[in-house]
């Protein structure tokens, strides 16, 4: 499965001829990838999701699913492959959770038919898959926001889709439920479903997503591996915020996090300037991109050390290391039978973002404890 | 776990059976009671007379049962079931617990159509057709007045229905004003109050098919009705042709309402009361609610009509009784389970 957006343009103002809200958006992803869509309020994150699902028509450009324009795929076939998870708001209807989830089967049988026992079984399976089978008999109005969000994910899963598109799934949730939802997404991605979610939290994107799409208010966007997209410069440009990216160390892992420090003072001025003079803004963009490239050529020696508790992780680790082989200058692997763990040590000479991406990906594998030490050279 | 499932399915089975059996049992009772009381055994004898050898039943009893009570009972059950299910359909369609044929102005629209047909002295087919046109017109107007980008809010829809409803009520008054005070006006006024007394087989033959077709369509669509109240994006992402579903629902529900109104006038409350009663008893899943409303609606209307023709010497119009019975029952249910919601 390859999902592609080609030259997508959109604006709510139908008369507008240039400077669209979304301008020439191009990106693609395939199965098993987690894509985060980021951007300030009003940048068009939700609009982008709606356009790419065909719920809003692109002004020009198209969404392709395995090369076929989704406009030409019959709606019931399309919605078996793509599923949409709305934000958990107050639900209409006194449904039980299992009835809500069953609604996700709609595209699988004809209009006049009733859901079969098999459809019910699939709906229950989806609840089990997300570990919320205990909610099945509960009323949708009596469960918490986090539980409702999980139920909505289960409803989308019931369509047995290849792509899951989630609209701010972890907004309005507390810490625990944010983790529950994010873990569920990571788990589904591991099972081979592609997930696209938009979020207000760059940190969630950094910790989870393989790729990120960063929108700004001027209709520009960046798309690429998360560690390359989410850096202090890009955050500053997109959000108008001075932010620092740092690391939080626990006994088992180092987590990357981002902290907004101050609002850029020139914010208002630069925005109005940008509106008045788009060309200038683009020039600036060019500059920062050059800077980034220059910086990325600068490599640093680092040691990535991991203790692996799960035997099944070995294959995935090898795959990843193979992917980054050209930067790796040395590696050591050592099983420790007595405690049933393996110790892996990789020495790498690569730009910092690359090293961060590798250790981030390794850290997301189940049963891997990992830390990275950078040299000053 | 196994045991739990079993008891659950026994309970389910019992509910299904009682929803089928209870209306039939009530119909038997209704056949027996009235100004001309009959014993149950007589009712049985008369009903099974065509297929048995008993021939000692007098003609008067036969006429009362076959030509007066039975068509009236059938009509009452049909109208009750129809109004309840169409009320449910409208509530889902507008994602609005207060949407009913009455509040949406459909009933007024259909009344206007029917009254207009009565004014011109047209026959029942035309009354039905005009009622249908009036109903569709009213629901279309209400929808377009209340619709905005995110669909109307609960209050907007009700307000729009109120406006459209009063517009058509005014038109009905206009027809009454124009109508001949000697011959046309009394029949129009009496018809508007709602009565099932004029029930006969000819009328049933004309009106029943439309109601039955509407009911069958809604029964087949019953699970899909659950998709209607969802927000636009969610409904479309269910992978169902949502506009076709909406059209099928609105046409069926309006057809039922118009046909009911053209046969027995504007009977209020049933479309609001029954869906909410059923929702409080069976939950919000339309797959269960449609058959439940069908059965409970038929029973309620049957009870009301039986009371209408038995409590006093002069018959009481059913619309008065539905309101008198409906309001307190509804308040009781509302207090006990708390809250209107879909």
């Amino acid at each position: 499965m390859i999902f592609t957006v080609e030259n997508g343009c959109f604006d709510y103002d139908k008369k507008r001829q240039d400077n669209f809200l979304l301008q020439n958006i191009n990106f693609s992803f395939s199965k098993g990838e987690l894509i985060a869509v980021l951007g300030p309020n009003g940048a068009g994150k939700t609009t982008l999701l709606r356009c790419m699902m065909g719920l809003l028509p692109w002004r020009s450009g198209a969404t392709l699913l395995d090369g076929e324009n989704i406009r030409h795929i019959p709606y019931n076939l399309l919605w078996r492959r793509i599923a949409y998870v709305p934000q958990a708001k107050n639900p209409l209807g006194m449904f039980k959770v299992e009835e809500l989830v069953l609604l996700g089967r709609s595209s699988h049988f004809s209009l006049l038919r009733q859901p079969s026992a098999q459809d019910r079984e699939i709906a229950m399976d989806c609840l089990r898959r997300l570990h919320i089978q205990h909610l099945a008999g509960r009323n949708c109005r009596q469960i918490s926001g986090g539980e409702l969000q999980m139920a909505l994910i289960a409803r989308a899963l019931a369509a047995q889709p290849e792509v899951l598109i989630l609209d701010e799934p972890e907004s309005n949730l507390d810490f625990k439920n944010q983790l529950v939802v994010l873990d569920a997404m990571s788990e589904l991605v591991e099972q081979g479903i592609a997930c696209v979610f938009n979020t207000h939290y760059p940190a969630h994107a950094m910790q989870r997503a393989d790729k990120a799409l960063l929108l700004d208010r001027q209709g520009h966007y960046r798309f690429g591996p998360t560690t390359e997209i989410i850096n202090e410069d890009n955050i500053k440009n997109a959000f108008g915020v001075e932010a620092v990216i740092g690391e939080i160390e626990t006994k088992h892992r180092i987590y990357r996090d981002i902290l907004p420090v101050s609002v850029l003072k020139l914010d208002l001025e630069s925005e109005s300037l940008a509106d008045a003079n788009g060309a200038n803004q683009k020039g600036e963009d060019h500059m920062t991109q050059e800077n980034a490239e220059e910086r990325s050529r600068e490599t640093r020696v680092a040691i990535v050390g991991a203790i692996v508790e799960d035997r099944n992780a070995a294959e995935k680790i090898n795959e990843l290391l193979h992917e980054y082989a050209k930067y790796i200058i040395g590696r050591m692997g050592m099983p420790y039978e007595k405690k049933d763990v393996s110790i892996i040590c990789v020495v790498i000479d690569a730009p910092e973002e690359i090293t961060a991406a590798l250790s981030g990906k390794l850290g997301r594998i189940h049963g891997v404890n990992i830390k990275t030490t950078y040299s000053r050279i | 776990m196994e045991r739990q499932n079993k008891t659950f399915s026994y309970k389910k089975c019992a509910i299904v059976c009682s929803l089928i059996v209870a209306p039939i049992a009530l119909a038997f009772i209704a056949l027996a009671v009235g100004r001309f009381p009959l014993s149950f055994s007589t009712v049985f004898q008369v009903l099974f007379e065509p297929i048995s050898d008993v021939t000692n039943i007098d003609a008067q009893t036969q006429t009362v049962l076959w030509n007066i009570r039975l068509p009236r009972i059938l009509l009452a059950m049909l109208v009750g079931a129809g109004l309840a299910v169409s009320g449910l359909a409208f509530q889902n369609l507008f994602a609005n617990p207060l949407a009913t044929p009455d509040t949406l102005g459909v009933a007024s629209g259909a009344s206007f159509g029917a009254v207009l047909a009565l004014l011109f002295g047209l026959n029942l087919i035309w009354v039905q057709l005009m009622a249908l046109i009036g109903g569709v017109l009213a629901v279309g107007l209400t929808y377009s007045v209340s619709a905005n980008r995110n669909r109307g809010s609960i209050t907007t829809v009700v307000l729009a229905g109120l406006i459209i409803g009063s517009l058509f009520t005014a038109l009905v008054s206009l027809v009454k004003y124009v109508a001949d005070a000697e011959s046309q006006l009394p029949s129009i006024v009496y018809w508007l109050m709602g009565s099932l007394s004029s029930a006969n087989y000819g009328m049933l033959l004309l009106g029943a098919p439309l109601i039955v077709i509407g009911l069958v369509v809604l029964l087949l669509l019953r699970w899909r009705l659950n998709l209607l109240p969802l927000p636009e994006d969610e409904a479309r992402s269910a992978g169902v042709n949502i506009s076709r579903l909406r059209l099928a629902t609105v046409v069926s529900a309006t057809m039922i309402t118009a046909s009911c109104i053209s046969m027995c006038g504007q009977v209020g409350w049933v479309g609001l009361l029954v869906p909410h009663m059923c929702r409080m008893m069976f939950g919000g899943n339309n797959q269960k609610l449609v058959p439940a409303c069908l059965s409970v609606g038929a029973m309620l209307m049957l009870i009301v009509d039986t009371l209408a023709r038995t409590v006093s010497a002069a018959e009481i119009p059913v619309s008065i009784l539905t309101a008198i019975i409906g309001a307190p029952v509804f308040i009781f249910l509302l207090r006990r389970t708390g809250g209107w919601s879909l």
Side-chain angles (χ1 to χ4, degrees), chain A residues 50 93-94 106 109 114 155, chain B residues 220 224 229 233-234 236 342:
Chain A
R50 295 182 67 202
M94 305 199 304
S106 298
F109 48 91
Q114 309 299 318
R155 181 178 74 184
Chain B
L220 287 174
R224 301 285 175 176
D233 278 358
E234 288 179 53
R236 280 174 62 195
L342 272 182

Side-chain angles (χ1 to χ4, degrees), chain B residues 11-34:
Chain B
K11 195 179 145 198
K12 207 166 137 185
C13 198
I15 290 173
V16 171
C17 288
S18 58
L19 282 178
I20 295 169
V21 172
I24 299 173
L26 270 177
F28 266 114
I29 298 170
L31 275 174
V33 297

Side-chain angles (χ1 to χ4, degrees), chain A residues 20 24 31 64 69 79 90 94 108 120 137 147 158-159 183 217 241 257 294 312 315 318 326 348 351 357 362 368 371:
Chain A
F20 295 127
N24 286 323
K31 70 178 258 219
L64 310 175
N69 189 338
W79 293 107
N90 288 340
M94 305 199 304
H108 283 261
R120 284 171 202 283
E147 288 169 332
D183 283 345
R217 292 269 274 278
V241 158
D257 201 358
E294 200 162 283
N312 302 326
E315 198 181 321
N318 282 332
K326 69 170 174 178
I348 191 168
L362 283 170
V368 174
K371 250 169 221 183

Side-chain angles (χ1 to χ4, degrees), chain B residues 8-327:
Chain B
F8 176 69
S9 71
Y10 280 139
K11 195 179 145 198
K12 207 166 137 185
C13 198
I15 290 173
V16 171
C17 288
S18 58
L19 282 178
I20 295 169
V21 172
I24 299 173
L26 270 177
F28 266 114
I29 298 170
L31 275 174
V33 297
R35 294 272 107 193
F36 182 75
L38 296 167
S39 70
F40 288 116
S41 60
T42 327
V43 173
F44 263 102
Q45 271 174 13
V46 177
L47 280 184
F48 293 106
E49 196 226 320
I51 50 165
S52 67
D53 316 324
V54 193
T55 48
N56 59 346
I57 298 153
D58 61 282
Q60 194 190 8
T61 314
Q62 293 235 18
T63 317
V64 166
L65 270 184
W66 284 113
N67 295 340
I68 298 175
R69 281 193 196 160
L70 192 63
R72 183 167 180 160
I73 283 165
L74 287 178
L75 181 65
M77 292 174 82
L78 207 57
V79 166
L83 288 176
V85 172
S86 69
L88 180 70
F90 281 124
Q91 285 169 16
N92 280 297
L93 199 65
F94 283 81
N96 188 332
L98 298 179
T100 62
D102 316 289
T103 46
L104 293 178
V106 184
S108 307
S111 292
F112 171 64
V115 167
L116 208 61
L118 288 177
L119 179 73
F120 295 129
L122 300 171
N123 63 17
L124 191 68
I125 297 182
W126 281 102
V127 174
Q128 291 223 358
L129 205 64
M130 298 279 285
L132 184 63
I133 293 168
V136 171
L137 201 67
V139 78
L141 278 171
T142 303
Y143 194 80
S144 55
V145 168
S146 66
N148 54 29
R149 237 184 61 217
N150 314 311
R151 283 211 281 168
S153 69
I154 290 176
T155 34
T156 324
V157 172
V158 174
L159 280 175
L162 197 74
I163 295 164
I164 301 303
S166 61
L167 172 71
F168 279 105
T169 311
L171 290 175
V172 168
S173 300
L174 185 70
V175 171
K176 282 200 265 184
Y177 184 72
V178 173
D180 180 41
E182 290 296 312
S183 58
Q184 290 168 329
L185 191 56
S187 73
I188 289 176
V189 170
Y190 192 61
W191 177 86
L192 274 174
M193 279 195 293
S195 166
L196 293 135
S197 59
S198 55
N200 59 53
Y201 290 115
M203 185 176 165
L204 271 176
L205 216 58
L206 278 173
L210 287 183
I211 300 182
V212 171
I213 291 168
L215 284 176
V216 169
V217 171
L218 290 177
L219 261 175
L220 287 174
L221 288 175
R222 64 185 185 276
W223 188 73
R224 301 285 175 176
L225 293 185
N226 288 331
L227 292 173
L228 288 174
L230 295 180
E232 185 70 23
D233 278 358
E234 288 179 53
R236 280 174 62 195
S237 70
V240 169
N241 189 339
I242 199 78
S243 27
R244 198 192 293 169
L245 178 63
R246 280 196 193 122
L247 188 71
T249 311
V250 80
V251 168
S252 307
T254 311
M255 197 163 78
I256 295 172
T257 309
S259 198
C260 288
I261 282 178
S262 60
M263 284 197 292
C264 62
Q266 203 171 332
V267 181
W269 277 94
V270 182
L272 182 68
L273 194 64
V274 177
H276 280 289
M277 275 167 66
C278 292
R279 214 169 265 130
M280 286 162 189
M281 287 187 283
F282 304 107
N285 185 356
N286 286 295
Q287 201 186 4
K288 298 176 198 158
L289 271 180
V290 173
C293 280
L294 197 104
S295 169
V296 174
M299 285 194 276
L300 183 83
M301 198 63 195
L302 185 58
I303 293 169
V304 168
D305 181 54
T306 310
L307 286 176
R309 65 185 167 87
T310 51
V311 285
S312 74
E315 200 179 307
I316 306 170
V318 274
S319 57
I320 295 177
L321 270 183
T322 49
I324 291 174
I325 298 174

Side-chain angles (χ1 to χ4, degrees), chain A residues 91-162:
Chain A
L92 274 162
M94 305 199 304
F95 289 127
K96 283 183 190 159
V97 170
E98 55 183 338
E99 290 164 347
L100 180 81
V101 175
L102 198 56
L103 287 183
R105 296 294 298 162
S106 298
S107 57
H108 283 261
F109 48 91
S110 72
L111 204 59
L112 298 178
R113 295 261 302 282
Q114 309 299 318
S116 67
Q118 195 201 348
D119 291 316
R120 284 171 202 283
E121 198 41 54
I122 290 168
M124 274 310 285
D125 275 343
C126 293
L127 288 173
R128 274 182 225 122
R129 216 163 138 189
L130 296 173
H131 317 294
I132 49 167
Q133 61 271 36
H134 57 280
L135 295 177
R138 299 273 298 279
N139 192 317
C140 285
R141 283 170 183 265
Q142 285 156 0
I143 59 178
S144 73
E147 288 169 332
L148 182 63
Q149 188 67 62
M150 292 300 284
L152 290 172
I153 296 177
R155 181 178 74 184
L157 274 185
Q160 299 174 311
E162 296 161 61

Side-chain angles (χ1 to χ4, degrees), chain A residues 196-235:
Chain A
V196 183
F197 73 114
N198 65 12
T199 179
H200 281 300
Y201 304 97
H204 292 166
M206 278 197 297
Q207 287 157 15
R208 305 277 174 164
D210 305 301
K211 290 180 180 167
L213 194 151
L214 181 64
L215 286 164
D216 67 21
R217 292 269 274 278
Q218 281 78 46
H220 301 182
Y221 79 99
R222 288 158 202 278
F223 177 71
T226 313
T227 43
E228 286 170 30
I229 296 300
I230 303 180
N231 59 41
E232 286 154 8
D233 283 336
N234 287 345
I235 293 289

